[in-house]
Amino acid sequence: MSHSSPETLALEARQELEGLLKRTTPLTPKERIAITAQEMPTQDPAVRRRNVQEVALGYTPEQARLESMRCLQCRNAPCVQGCPVRIDIPGFLKAAADGDFQGACSIIKKNSLLPAVCGRVCPQETQCQEHCTVGKALKSVDKAVSIGRVERFVADLERESGSAVAPTIKPATGKKVAVIGTGPASITVAADVRREGHQVVMFEAFHKPGGVLVYGIPEFRLPKAIVQKEIDALTGMGVELKTNFVIGRTRKLKALIEEDGFDAVFIGTGAGLPKFMNIEGENLVGVFSANEYLTRANLMKAYDFERADTPISRPGRVAVLGGGNVAMDAARTAVRLGAEEVHIIYRRTEVEMPARIEELAHAKEEGVIFHLLENAKRLIGDKDGCVTALECLRYELGEPDASGRRRPVEVKGSEFIREIDAVIVAIGNDSNPLIPRTTDGLQTTKWGNIIVDETGKTSIDRVYAGGDIVLGAATVILAMGEGRRAAASINERLK
Ligand code: FAD
Ligand code: SF4
Ligand code: SF4
């Protein structure tokens, strides 16, 4: 986490880079490892608690070059194995180290359509950076080459300078593809299929495209303007977008093929069905699912109190149940919406928390209070049906469960009351059930995920699926990888 001011970080990087550029001999691996690992400049926690602007401010050009110079250009590139879409990481870091930022971005874009998004939200410390030789040499994944931050820098620079080259579209084939949903899986499919010259129509249930990138992940982690730019690029390529269009309600999936003349359909409807704890009091007023809370705050702009007419509770004490990224997003959003106290309640310890280390640290810096080895047993309301308190239980850690994490075991008789004015349940999401329920013959797992073969095809001819609707709640980069695979199969099929 950044403890120096952005100005200090920029100055120190400039001086260190100038010194290195004066060298006439190549840097040895030892010298590369000795280069200062570049911190990400961030907004001051006291200031950012009260605004929704992005927390991480991004590298300066000098920081991006220095960070890239730390890469040892390992011949076996273990980092690439950790990237689900196998970006040529040493290749783009070499270009960035030489100051060729446009070249670096072009290398990334061969494998990833959304580098400005992935550079921000990929869980890099458990993907590419986990395997980095520099991190291993310095015995800390925090000291690995910050691949994602350089990726973000070069993608932002390309977008802001307007130097992105529009993709070439092959001559029209006369074939039509329907893409359901507008999240990262669907964006990837739409782009890859459109490039082959097929007509593409995207159908989105919400009034705005972008999927979780827009309705779930908050503005302070991923500015919506970045996602909108990607959507604009798609429509610029000739992709047609139909919003407020719910497949399964507005139109049935099979009608797209049998009546509307689509030659193939991709389902990328994600995992937007919130899970609840199934405890007493979950239907009290003031209890939200994280999805609803974040959708109101992000998509419906409830944070803009003066102008937006979306109601959202802005009470004193908010409890968030859960310990993943969604819980952190909900808690940090509640801070920005003006809650006096925000409490995260999690039944294991920090070691088992699935949230990214960075998000956890940012939440703490912003004043979120953590209650570990604790969970809600029931929610208590007043005579008007509004939540007023949680009855909580204390836990201790037992033996590891199937996931390898130590199982939380409740401490008998440890019940106590925690007074609270609102509760956000953030314990995970299941796949959206509407399309499987309204489409005969579409096979799913017992958890409701659509089953696909190794080409991304479902049990119905001409119908493909990918992203969270297949994987269960996963990540942006995995959703994109799935989209790429399905798009290749659709293109092959329509040849
Ligand atoms: P989605 O992004 O879920 O998009 C699906 C779209 O389909 C939605 O727009 C939905 O409205 C639409 N849709 C659904 N049903 C229909 C229908 N019947 N008709 C028409 N449209 C429909 N991942 C990370 O990698 N890093 C993170 O930091 C991260 N943070 C997250 C924070 C939150 C709060 C959440 C909820 C998720 C987060 N994720 C994160 C997970 C990541 O966002 C998802 O894995 C990813 O967005 C899945 O992409 P997708 O394209 O499969 O679906
Ligand atoms: Fe790492 Fe994600 Fe970029 Fe791949 S896409 S290199 S995993 S940050
Ligand atoms: Fe560079 Fe680290 Fe990848 Fe080696 S593992 S090529 S040092 S980023």
Side-chain angles (χ1 to χ4, degrees):
M1 297 314 108
S2 174
H3 298 293
S4 307
S5 73
E7 295 75 23
T8 307
L9 291 173
L11 180 67
E12 286 173 357
R14 197 160 53 239
Q15 288 169 343
E16 190 168 348
L17 181 66
E18 274 168 13
L20 291 172
L21 292 180
K22 282 191 192 125
R23 297 238 341 198
T24 49
T25 50
L27 292 169
T28 63
K30 218 168 161 187
E31 286 168 326
R32 287 185 188 277
I33 289 178
I35 295 173
T36 311
Q38 294 301 299
E39 278 181 35
M40 173 61 93
T42 54
Q43 273 198 71
D44 185 297
V47 176
R48 70 182 195 238
R49 289 181 92 242
R50 294 288 172 247
N51 69 47
V52 291
Q53 271 95 56
E54 196 171 9
V55 168
L57 301 172
Y59 277 165
T60 61
E62 290 81 10
Q63 283 191 288
R65 279 191 78 176
L66 263 186
E67 189 61 27
S68 305
M69 286 165 120
R70 299 179 66 229
C71 171
L72 304 176
Q73 297 290 310
C74 315
R75 208 168 297 153
N76 58 346
C79 49
V80 178
Q81 299 311 312
C83 170
V85 295
R86 304 282 186 267
I87 289 175
D88 173 8
I89 295 169
F92 94 74
L93 289 174
K94 168 87 177 60
D98 293 343
D100 177 11
F101 297 131
Q102 182 62 56
C105 195
S106 304
I107 295 172
I108 299 169
K109 282 189 150 180
K110 284 185 193 155
N111 296 52
S112 167
L113 199 69
L114 305 172
V117 174
C118 295
R120 285 174 165 80
V121 305
C122 254
Q124 292 117 9
E125 63 280 3
T126 55
Q127 294 185 336
C128 52
Q129 290 171 202
E130 185 181 22
H131 304 272
C132 175
T133 315
V134 173
K136 294 228 153 70
L138 295 172
K139 299 192 171 41
S140 162
V141 74
D142 288 349
K143 298 273 186 239
V145 178
S146 289
I147 300 165
R149 292 173 181 174
V150 179
E151 189 172 323
R152 164 192 164 140
F153 173 81
V154 297
D156 283 358
L157 192 69
E158 185 192 72
R159 188 184 64 257
E160 284 157 13
S161 64
S163 57
V165 183
T168 319
I169 315 282
K170 292 192 182 160
T173 60
K175 304 268 180 208
K176 261 173 54 167
V177 178
V179 175
I180 311 173
T182 54
S186 300
I187 291 175
T188 308
V189 172
D192 283 3
V193 169
R194 179 70 193 121
R195 271 196 218 112
E196 290 302 302
H198 308 308
Q199 187 188 340
V200 177
V201 184
M202 297 182 93
F203 298 93
E204 169 55 51
F206 276 130
H207 62 285
K208 265 201 182 155
V212 172
L213 306 183
V214 165
Y215 81 75
I217 303 181
E219 175 80 15
F220 57 81
R221 277 212 298 130
L222 176 62
K224 304 307 153 216
I226 293 175
V227 186
Q228 188 54 47
K229 200 92 185 169
E230 300 300 340
I231 301 289
D232 292 346
L234 282 182
T235 48
M237 289 164 70
V239 170
E240 196 184 332
L241 184 61
K242 288 186 193 283
T243 48
N244 294 315
F245 203 113
V246 186
I247 300 296
R249 289 240 163 78
T250 322
R251 197 99 180 107
K252 294 273 173 7
L253 184 139
K254 283 193 177 168
L256 295 173
I257 295 177
E258 290 163 8
E259 295 167 37
D260 301 341
F262 284 98
D263 299 283
V265 176
F266 173 78
I267 310 172
T269 46
L273 182 71
K275 286 188 198 167
F276 280 93
M277 299 192 45
N278 297 321
I279 55 176
E280 186 186 324
E282 264 182 311
N283 54 358
L284 288 166
V285 176
V287 181
F288 299 85
S289 72
N291 255 23
E292 181 193 344
Y293 190 80
L294 290 169
T295 304
R296 280 174 187 252
N298 292 325
L299 190 71
M300 317 296 285
K301 299 209 179 305
Y303 62 78
D304 197 359
F305 312 123
E306 310 290 320
R307 276 165 295 208
D309 50 11
T310 309
I312 195 158
S313 103
R314 275 199 283 154
R317 296 157 300 181
V318 178
V320 180
L321 310 180
N325 287 321
V326 180
M328 298 305 135
D329 282 345
R332 297 175 68 201
T333 298
V335 167
R336 284 159 176 79
L337 288 176
E340 281 160 27
E341 291 172 13
V342 180
H343 302 260
I344 290 232
I345 295 179
Y346 180 60
R347 59 191 186 139
R348 304 187 205 224
T349 71
E350 214 170 282
V351 179
E352 292 82 24
M353 263 195 180
R356 289 186 63 192
I357 298 164
E358 189 178 67
E359 305 310 330
L360 188 70
H362 281 163
K364 283 184 183 170
E365 286 171 4
E366 290 163 12
V368 173
I369 306 158
F370 286 75
H371 303 277
L372 304 170
L373 293 169
E374 180 179 321
N375 204 9
K377 185 178 172 193
R378 71 184 171 106
L379 313 185
I380 300 165
D382 61 15
K383 61 176 175 26
D384 299 322
C386 297
V387 68
T388 55
L390 299 174
E391 186 183 2
C392 292
L393 263 178
R394 298 205 192 282
Y395 280 70
E396 55 194 15
L397 290 183
E399 294 302 309
D401 62 14
S403 70
R405 294 184 304 170
R406 288 179 65 192
R407 194 187 303 272
V409 183
E410 56 178 73
V411 178
K412 293 263 179 281
S414 63
E415 286 86 349
F416 65 99
I417 300 293
R418 196 178 277 294
E419 287 182 3
I420 223 79
D421 307 297
V423 177
I424 304 171
V425 184
I427 57 165
N429 287 320
D430 281 328
S431 295
N432 275 328
L434 181 64
I435 291 182
R437 264 190 214 150
T438 54
T439 311
D440 289 340
L442 186 63
Q443 284 177 9
T444 61
T445 64
K446 64 177 173 181
W447 298 282
N449 301 330
I450 295 178
I451 297 173
V452 295
D453 65 15
E454 63 291 347
T455 69
K457 197 181 88 54
T458 68
S459 51
I460 301 179
D461 192 32
R462 296 177 182 275
V463 179
Y464 297 77
D468 279 6
I469 188 71
V470 168
L471 301 171
T475 61
V476 172
I477 191 71
L478 284 171
M480 284 174 52
E482 290 258 302
R484 187 133 271 185
R485 176 180 70 162
S489 310
I490 293 171
N491 287 334
E492 190 58 34
R493 166 83 193 231
L494 299 185
K495 254 184 192 166

